[in-house]
């Protein structure tokens, strides 16, 4: 018997006893009257008790079984359980507790609802009722669902014919019961209203694609895609695989947009077809390439996976089919905009509409309805227009593009109109402004820089706009937009396209009237290249850090030639950007040297904003600095936000509070998801923090090691995705150590072999035996050797790595490598016994070692070795040098070469062409000068050569 029925019975007994006593025990008429009233009330209550006892629900079923493949939703379950507990408090709910869950198709609402029901089963001893309110566009009748509910509550009893009677009976049955009702796939609140139980001890879980919370008077829980760790758990649960192939698993999950239904579909295909995760990842990669290039021939792999993903497209189709014709066309055309997020006004040119306010309002309404149906996601406010931004899930974009291609619409003209309107959105101070309301927004490029987050969101559109304005002859707009493109490296943007944009912008800047135009474009170009390491691939050279330094040095020198305050700011910016690139590469001492130069310039002109950034960057570069000041207000200044968060995490890391440092970085990650370079750097630092924690804290090491593997593999995938081979080598080095921490020696060896192969293609500036990148791989190699039992080899490798970290002012790297070797400090014999300084290297090249002849050219090469790793470190910072070849018996081309002499890397080979002009002894001397101060740094005499007469002279 339920508690309510039991209490009612007690009330009947007490009322009856008191009523009899008053009626028969007193002669007073008022007492007898009151007794009759109490007896009548008790009789009525007894009748009610009989009814309640007859209609009390039976136990429907035991606790629902756990879904074997349900994983990765612990946080969401906990959040809903807390919401349930809050609503149970007195006064919080007048009737049954309602827990609505909404989200996009395929996000896992039904699975979460069932698991939540399982978790709450003990709270509802009278059982659970489940109903699917409709699938694939079909709505189940309310009468049918009520009939099933009544049959479950009272088996064998007749079910009323009308829906109203069924609803009344359902409410009556649940009035005093403790039943949990699950209403899955609700369309709207009307479909739910009559299916909600009346008892205050009941609860109902409602899932829907729409937010039904306001209509139901409660807050709906929006279910989003899981985080990467949760998605990995889902994939492994479906494929029943061990924790391996993380990099390919992460690629699969990323290409599926972490959508649980898609993860399940691909996981089922992996099991059914007995294919590995690498093959599945390749199939999705080719499928994505096929979407980008429709004329490309489909392969077997991507064709099969396309069929497996059909279940996802069917769910999207069921929502798409409910759109109006205008909404469907808008949904399809928006997929042409290849940016991470978009604003509603973009539909105006795509649809060929006028830019009047009526059209803008209608367009905003259409996009808002698409978001209500979960076909688009909200992505925050647009910093320029103040409008809401929206984004496509990758599979929803693929669906829209497929529908668009199937419609036969010519997409050339919509995109041409889009580019024209986009260009008109930019104007220069002094030009005629657009008519009010004629454009969704306009931005005066000369008055203020474009907001950082807006540039990241619009990067691909801006890139196209640079080339379009160049073709249209709008020189100043061209270079001003390009000057904003250096602070981000978006995913899947070909660096060759970006470099082409900088090149045309440089031409336009050089021919304009602004004396600082070319410097600003050079700064943007240098910033972009500083985020990416150079490498060689299939015979093609891709520029990276070396060219970034060259461009930024040129910009600094040009700014230094002008005495204006603005030029001083630009020179400070150039040095700060050089320092930023050095920090990313691990050259901490050199970075601090450049930051010091930048700080002096910024202080001289009173540039407080730049000084603040420099102070934060110096915390990362200098181990002893810990002061970071107050956090920035808001996130509008993206660079300040990033520098503060990174510095804060670094201070916490030095204090040994790895979890707090990880929390700071995890909070930073969503703000820079659209900047692949920063996102990858954050992920890699999170992996390093997990390894620090693994070494220091022996509690829960299995979980910590696994998270280190996940973050390193995720960073590797992000670096590879944006073709940053240097970052990929660094990530593999960390991944090797993380895998060893998880006792996965075979996987670690495989990753180390890949890393060493990749490193050979990295630009020489970053790959030599004094480079931090080299030290990172030596650290990984040392831990591998230790695992295989080669203790002596492991110690040599680890001490060598620690020595390089020491030379670059990286105490964390030094201490970590030494700890792996079981040492607390560098041994005295670790330092080189060679004399300090750098030795010149010169050579002569001629064909087949033939004698030197008058008039026949030969080449002379020159370089300088890296400094020896002695206890006295060389001065920090690079310098610009001039190399000259002097001779009194030959013509030399060129007479001098300018180069950057890095503090640790060997000097790039400097080659001269020499043509003897007379026979006899030929003396040559190479002189090295400081290009800024003119001081002679080094002089090298080459061995004397004998020149013979030319063949013509001999014949004569």
């Amino acid at each position: 018997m339920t508690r309510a029925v039991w209490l009612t019975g007690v009330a009947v007994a007490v009322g009856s006893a008191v009523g009899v006593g008053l009626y028969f025990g007193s002669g007073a008429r008022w007492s007898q009257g009151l007794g009759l009233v109490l007896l009548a009330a008790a009789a009525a209550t007894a009748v009610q008790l009989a009814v309640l006892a007859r209609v009390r629900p039976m136990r429907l079923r035991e606790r629902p079984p756990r879904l074997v493949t349900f994983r990765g939703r612990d946080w969401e379950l906990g959040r809903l359980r807390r919401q349930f507990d809050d609503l149970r408090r007195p006064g919080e709910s007048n009737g049954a507790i309602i827990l609505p869950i909404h989200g996009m198709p395929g996000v896992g609402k039904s699975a979460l609802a069932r698991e939540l029901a399982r978790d709450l089963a003990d709270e509802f001893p009278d059982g659970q009722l489940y109903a699917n309110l409709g699938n694939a566009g079909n709505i189940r009748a309310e009468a049918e669902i009520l009939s099933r509910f009544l049959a479950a509550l009272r088996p064998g009893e007749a079910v009323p014919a009308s829906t109203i009677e069924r609803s009344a009976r359902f409410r009556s049955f649940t009035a005093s019961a403790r039943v949990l009702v699950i209403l899955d796939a609700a369309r709207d609140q009307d479909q739910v209203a009559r299916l909600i139980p009346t008892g205050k001890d009941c609860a109902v879980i409602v899932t829907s694609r729409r937010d039904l919370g306001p209509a139901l008077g409660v807050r709906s829980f929006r279910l989003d895609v899981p985080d990467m760790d949760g998605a990995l758990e889902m994939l492994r649960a479906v494929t029943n695989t061990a924790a391996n192939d993380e990099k390919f698993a992460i690629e699969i999950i990323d290409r599926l947009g972490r959508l649980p239904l898609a993860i399940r579909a691909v996981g089922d295909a992996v099991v059914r077809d007995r294919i590995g995760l690498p093959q599945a990842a390749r199939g999705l990669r080719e499928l994505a390439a096929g979407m980008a290039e429709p004329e490309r021939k489909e392969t077997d792999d991507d064709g099969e996976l396309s069929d497996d993903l059909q279940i996802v497209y069917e769910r999207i189709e069921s929502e798409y089919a409910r759109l109006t014709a205008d909404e469907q066309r808008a949904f399809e055309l928006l997929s042409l905009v290849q940016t991470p997020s978009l604003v509603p006004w973009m539909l105006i040119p795509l649809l060929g509409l006028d830019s009047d306010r009526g059209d803008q309002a209608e367009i905003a309404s259409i996009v808002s309805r698409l978001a209500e149906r979960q076909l688009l996601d909200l992505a925050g406010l647009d910093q320029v227009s103040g409008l809401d931004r929206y984004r496509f899930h990758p599979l929803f974009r693929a669906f829209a593009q497929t529908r668009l291609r199937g419609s036969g619409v010519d997409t050339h003209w919509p995109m041409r109109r889009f580019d024209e309107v986009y260009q008109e959105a930019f104007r220069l101070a002094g030009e005629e402004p657009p008519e009010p309301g004629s454009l969704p927004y306009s931005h005066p490029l000369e008055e203020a820089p474009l907001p950082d987050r807006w540039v990241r969101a619009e990067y691909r559109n801006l890139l196209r706009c640079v080339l379009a304005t160049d073709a249209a002859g709008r020189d100043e707009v061209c270079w001003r937009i390009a000057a904003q493109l250096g602070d981000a490296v978006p995913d899947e943007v070909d660096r060759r396209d970006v470099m082409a944009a900088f090149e045309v912008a440089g031409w336009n800047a050089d021919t304009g009237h602004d004396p600082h135009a070319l410097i600003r474009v050079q700064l943007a170009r240098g910033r972009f290249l500083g985020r990416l390491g150079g490498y060689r691939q299939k015979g093609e050279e891709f520029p990276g850090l070396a060219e970034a330094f060259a461009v930024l040095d040129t910009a600094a020198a040009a700014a230094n030639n002008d005495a204006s305050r603005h030029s001083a700011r630009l020179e400070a910016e150039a040095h700060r950007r050089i320092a930023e690139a050095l920090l990313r590469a691990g050259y901490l001492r050199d970075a601090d040297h450049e930051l010091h130069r930048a700080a002096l310039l910024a202080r001289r002109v009173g540039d407080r904003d730049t000084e603040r950034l420099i102070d934060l960057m110096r915390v990362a570069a200098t181990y002893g600095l810990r002061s970071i000041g107050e956090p920035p207000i808001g996130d509008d200044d993206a660079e300040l936000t990033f520098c503060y968060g990174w510095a804060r995490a670094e201070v916490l890391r030095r204090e040994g509070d790895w979890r707090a440092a990880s929390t700071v970085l995890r909070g930073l990650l969503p703000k820079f998801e659209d900047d692949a370079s920063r996102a990858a750097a954050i992920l890699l630092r999170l992996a390093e923090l997990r390894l620090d924690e693994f070494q220091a804290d022996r509690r829960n090491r299995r979980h910590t090691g696994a998270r280190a593997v996940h973050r390193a593999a995720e960073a590797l995938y992000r670096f590879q995705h944006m073709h940053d081979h240097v970052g990929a080598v660094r990530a593999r080095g960390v991944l090797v150590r993380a895998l060893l921490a998880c006792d996965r020696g075979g996987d670690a060896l495989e990753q180390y072999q890949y890393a060493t192969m990749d490193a050979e293609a990295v630009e020489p500036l970053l790959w030599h035996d004094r480079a931090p990148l080299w030290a990172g791989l030596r650290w990984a190699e040392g831990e591998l050797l230790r695992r295989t039992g080669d203790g002596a080899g492991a110690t040599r490798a680890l001490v060598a790595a620690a020595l390089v970290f020491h030379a670059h002012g990286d105490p964390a790297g030094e201490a970590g490598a030494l700890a792996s070797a079981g040492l607390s400090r560098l041994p005295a014999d670790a330092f080189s016994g060679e004399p300090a300084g750098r030795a010149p290297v010169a050579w002569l090249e001629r064909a087949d070692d033939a004698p030197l002849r008058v008039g026949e050219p030969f080449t002379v090469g020159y370089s300088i070795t890296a400094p020896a790793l002695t206890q006295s470190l060389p001065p920090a910072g690079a310098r610009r040098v001039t190399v000259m070849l002097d001779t009194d018996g030959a013509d030399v081309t060129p007479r001098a070469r300018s180069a950057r002499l890095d503090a640790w890397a060997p000097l790039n080979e400097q080659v001269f062409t020499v043509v003897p002009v007379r026979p006899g002894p030929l003396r040559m001397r190479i002189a090295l000068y400081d290009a800024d101060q003119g001081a002679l740094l080094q002089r090298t005499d080459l061995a004397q050569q004998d020149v013979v007469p030319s063949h013509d002279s001999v014949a004569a």
Side-chain angles (χ1 to χ4, degrees):
M1 182 179 292
T2 65
R3 186 175 62 177
V5 174
W6 182 83
L7 290 174
T8 305
V10 173
V12 169
V14 173
S16 299
V18 174
V20 170
L22 288 172
Y23 184 79
F24 292 104
S26 173
R29 289 192 174 187
W30 68 268
S31 178
Q32 290 178 340
L34 179 59
L36 286 173
V37 170
L38 289 173
L39 286 170
T45 305
V47 173
Q48 183 183 16
L49 175 62
V51 173
L52 288 173
R54 186 174 66 84
V55 301
R56 181 183 62 81
M58 62 182 291
R59 180 178 292 275
L60 302 178
R61 63 176 179 177
E62 299 299 325
R63 183 190 297 269
R66 173 179 286 277
L67 295 171
V68 177
T69 58
F70 184 85
R71 296 288 190 278
R73 292 297 197 183
D74 292 341
W75 182 88
E76 290 84 352
L77 276 174
R79 179 68 184 83
L80 285 165
R81 180 62 199 239
R82 289 192 297 272
Q83 185 175 341
F84 172 78
D85 292 339
D86 290 342
L87 291 172
R88 293 179 70 186
R89 294 173 183 169
E92 291 295 328
S93 179
N94 295 325
I97 294 173
I98 303 176
L99 296 172
I101 304 170
H102 71 283
M104 70 176 71
V107 80
K109 302 180 293 295
S110 300
L112 180 64
R114 292 190 181 211
E115 194 65 18
L116 178 62
R118 180 184 180 281
D119 190 53
L120 296 177
D122 290 341
E123 306 290 339
F124 301 96
D126 293 326
Q128 300 180 6
L129 294 169
Y130 172 83
N132 188 319
L133 304 188
N135 270 333
N138 299 317
I139 301 177
R140 293 189 63 194
E142 184 180 315
E144 177 192 351
I145 295 169
L146 285 169
S147 176
R148 287 187 63 251
F149 280 2
L150 293 176
L153 289 166
R154 288 291 175 268
E157 291 191 11
V159 176
S162 74
T163 302
I164 294 177
E165 288 179 305
R166 291 178 183 181
S167 178
R169 181 76 62 87
F170 174 70
R171 290 172 177 271
S172 174
F173 283 0
T174 58
S176 60
R178 298 175 68 184
V179 174
L180 176 63
V181 179
I182 302 99
L183 302 177
D184 198 12
R187 288 288 184 87
D188 50 46
Q189 67 273 18
D190 294 335
Q191 200 182 10
V192 172
R194 294 185 183 181
L195 303 176
I196 297 178
T198 55
K200 62 182 179 59
D201 291 326
C202 295
V204 56
I205 301 171
V206 183
T207 73
S208 176
R209 292 173 185 173
R210 294 188 176 188
D211 182 359
L212 302 182
L216 297 174
V218 293
R219 184 177 68 253
S220 180
F221 178 78
R222 184 181 187 278
L223 182 63
D224 204 348
V225 295
D227 62 16
M228 183 57 73
D229 289 325
L232 282 168
E233 289 182 35
M234 289 180 183
L235 182 61
R236 288 196 187 114
V238 175
T239 58
N240 196 27
T241 57
N244 55 15
D245 286 336
E246 279 87 1
K247 187 253 180 183
F248 295 106
I250 286 167
E251 180 177 0
I252 291 170
I253 290 166
D254 184 68
R255 291 191 180 278
L256 297 176
R258 306 203 302 270
L259 191 69
L261 182 62
I263 293 171
R264 174 68 182 264
V266 172
D268 287 342
V270 168
V271 174
R272 182 193 66 231
D273 300 333
R274 298 181 180 179
I275 61 175
L277 295 184
Q279 186 177 347
R282 184 172 62 251
L284 288 173
R285 204 178 307 139
E286 293 173 349
L287 185 61
M291 295 298 299
E293 303 173 31
E295 66 279 0
R296 175 183 166 276
K297 185 178 179 181
E298 190 178 77
T299 66
D300 291 340
D301 286 343
D302 56 317
E304 291 174 4
L305 285 176
S306 180
D307 293 340
D308 291 315
L309 290 174
Q310 195 59 39
I311 186 175
V312 180
Y313 296 140
E314 287 172 0
R315 298 284 180 91
I316 303 172
E317 172 71 37
S318 68
E319 198 63 40
Y320 171 86
R322 299 173 61 195
L323 301 175
T324 66
D326 287 342
E327 290 168 347
Q328 288 180 348
R329 189 176 178 215
F331 180 62
E332 293 166 3
L333 287 173
L334 282 174
S335 69
L336 293 173
V337 182
Q338 297 298 313
T339 52
S341 59
L342 49 90
V343 282
W345 75 261
M346 294 176 176
L347 262 179
I348 293 175
L350 292 173
L351 289 170
L353 301 177
D354 295 327
S355 298
D356 58 47
R357 295 200 181 278
D359 283 345
Q360 290 184 40
E362 176 59 23
I363 289 303
S365 177
I366 288 176
V367 176
S368 177
R369 291 197 296 273
L370 293 175
E372 287 175 6
R373 295 182 182 277
Q374 305 297 319
L375 295 174
L376 294 175
D377 285 335
L378 275 171
L381 284 179
D382 182 77
Q383 287 182 291
V384 172
S385 67
L387 304 172
D388 283 327
R389 294 193 73 93
Y390 299 85
R391 61 171 163 253
F392 269 103
H393 185 279
L395 295 181
F396 287 47
R397 183 190 292 276
F399 173 86
Q401 290 173 336
T402 301
R403 297 290 306 200
L404 184 61
R405 282 200 295 272
S407 68
V409 172
D410 183 2
T411 60
H412 169 75
W413 293 108
M415 287 308 296
R416 181 171 177 177
R417 289 192 299 267
F418 175 84
D419 287 339
E420 289 171 353
V421 172
Y422 200 87
Q423 290 180 55
E424 289 304 314
F426 297 100
R427 61 183 176 86
L428 299 177
E431 288 190 358
E432 189 69 26
E435 291 294 326
S438 64
L439 292 174
Y441 65 84
S442 63
H443 191 280
L445 287 171
E446 196 173 61
E447 293 178 7
L450 295 166
D452 294 336
R453 281 192 290 118
W454 189 88
V455 170
R456 297 201 304 270
E458 295 288 328
Y459 200 95
R460 289 174 178 83
N461 291 334
L462 292 169
L463 197 59
R464 285 208 324 276
C465 197
V466 170
L467 301 176
T469 50
D470 171 65
R474 301 181 67 187
D475 301 351
E476 195 165 358
V477 178
C478 173
W479 74 255
R480 285 187 184 276
I481 294 176
Q484 312 278 340
L485 298 182
D487 273 335
V489 181
D491 255 340
E492 295 186 319
V493 171
D494 194 324
R495 77 168 74 183
R496 289 170 293 196
D497 294 338
V498 182
M499 297 310 295
F502 284 133
E503 187 172 5
V504 300
W507 295 337
N508 288 306
D510 203 24
T511 58
H513 303 293
D514 189 330
H516 301 119
L518 184 57
I519 297 174
R520 290 173 59 182
V521 173
Q522 288 171 332
L523 286 173
R525 183 181 179 188
R527 293 199 304 268
F528 179 81
L529 287 171
R531 302 280 194 92
L532 302 167
Y535 66 97
R536 300 178 304 278
Q537 188 176 59
K538 297 179 180 178
E540 186 176 0
E541 295 277 349
F542 291 85
L545 209 62
E547 184 164 337
F549 289 152
V551 172
L552 292 171
D553 282 339
T554 301
N560 185 259
N561 291 331
D562 187 348
S564 68
R565 292 171 59 87
H566 187 55
S567 293
R569 286 193 178 94
L570 293 176
E571 186 180 359
E573 180 71 1
H575 288 292
R576 190 175 72 82
R577 295 300 181 174
I578 293 172
E580 182 182 48
L582 288 166
L583 278 174
R584 292 177 65 82
Y587 293 87
L588 305 189
R589 288 180 67 241
D590 295 339
D592 188 58
H593 172 78
E594 292 290 341
L595 288 171
H596 178 69
R597 297 177 68 180
L600 292 176
L601 289 163
R603 195 173 301 122
R604 193 178 77 195
V605 296
D607 189 348
R608 297 293 181 85
D609 292 340
T610 298
E611 285 189 77
R612 171 85 162 121
L613 287 172
I614 291 170
D615 289 343
L616 291 171
M617 292 172 70
R618 292 195 73 182
V619 171
T622 308
Y623 197 79
L625 297 179
R626 306 247 173 140
S627 175
I628 58 174
E630 295 296 320
I633 300 173
D635 297 331
D636 288 341
D637 189 334
E639 187 160 22
L640 180 59
T641 299
F642 181 82
C643 288
Y644 182 86
W646 192 271
R648 175 68 179 147
E650 186 62 24
V651 169
L652 291 168
R653 181 191 189 191
R654 292 167 187 170
E655 293 172 352
D657 196 344
W658 303 285
R659 295 196 176 183
S662 296
T663 299
V664 171
L665 291 179
R666 284 197 302 271
L668 207 57
L669 189 57
K671 300 173 184 178
F672 294 93
E673 269 298 320
D674 49 4
D675 184 345
S677 176
R678 281 180 170 143
I682 292 170
L683 289 167
L684 188 58
R685 180 50 58 92
L686 283 169
E688 292 170 337
L689 286 169
R690 286 292 189 178
L691 284 175
D692 290 343
E693 183 181 355
F694 181 90
Q695 294 295 339
D697 189 351
R698 293 189 173 275
R699 296 170 298 176
N700 204 14
R701 299 187 84 183
R702 181 177 178 182
H703 172 83
T704 305
R707 289 297 185 264
V709 171
H710 292 174
R711 296 293 78 77
E714 196 174 356
L716 171 61
Y717 169 68
R718 295 298 292 266
F719 280 125
Q720 289 182 326
H721 208 46
M722 64 180 181
H723 305 290
D724 182 351
H725 288 238
V726 176
V729 172
R730 289 173 55 221
R732 284 196 196 274
V734 176
L735 181 57
V736 168
R737 292 164 44 216
L739 289 167
L740 289 171
C742 295
D743 295 323
R744 294 169 56 185
D747 293 334
L749 177 60
E750 181 182 35
Q751 290 299 325
Y752 176 76
Q753 291 169 340
Y754 280 130
T756 53
M757 288 188 293
D758 290 347
E760 295 302 321
V762 170
E763 61 181 321
L765 178 64
L766 294 174
W767 184 247
H768 54 87
D769 61 3
R770 303 290 192 274
L773 185 65
W774 179 89
L777 276 195
R778 287 289 277 171
W779 187 354
E781 178 191 358
E783 295 203 1
L784 268 172
L785 291 172
R786 186 181 61 175
R787 181 60 58 94
T788 59
D790 186 357
T795 299
R796 283 195 301 272
L798 292 167
V799 169
L803 188 57
V804 173
F805 287 132
H806 170 79
H808 292 293
D810 184 358
E814 178 185 353
L818 289 175
S820 295
L823 301 172
S824 59
R825 58 185 300 175
L826 279 168
D829 59 357
F831 296 95
S832 173
E834 302 174 15
R838 310 177 69 163
V841 180
W843 63 94
L844 183 146
E845 292 182 3
R846 49 189 166 182
D848 301 326
D849 294 327
L852 300 184
R853 292 184 180 275
V854 173
E856 294 184 3
F858 64 93
T859 58
V860 172
Y862 174 78
S863 181
I864 298 177
T865 62
L869 290 170
T870 61
Q871 290 187 338
S872 58
L873 298 174
R879 62 175 71 190
R880 293 191 307 140
V881 295
T882 301
V883 183
M884 299 184 67
L885 174 59
D886 295 324
T887 177
D888 55 1
D891 294 329
V892 179
T893 306
R895 294 291 301 175
R897 285 192 175 276
S898 295
R900 176 186 173 90
L901 179 60
D902 185 79
W904 289 101
L907 179 68
N908 286 340
E909 295 180 0
Q910 306 298 307
V911 179
F912 299 86
T913 300
V914 181
V915 181
V917 296
R918 60 175 179 266
L922 177 64
R923 299 179 181 86
M924 292 177 287
R925 173 181 293 173
I926 296 178
L928 182 70
Y929 295 91
D930 186 307
D932 295 322
Q933 301 177 4
L936 177 65
L937 302 176
Q938 199 175 74
R939 179 179 287 127
T940 305
D941 291 316
L942 278 68
Q944 178 177 300
Q945 302 291 324
D946 292 322
V947 179
V948 301
S950 65
H951 289 290
D952 294 340
S953 299
V954 172

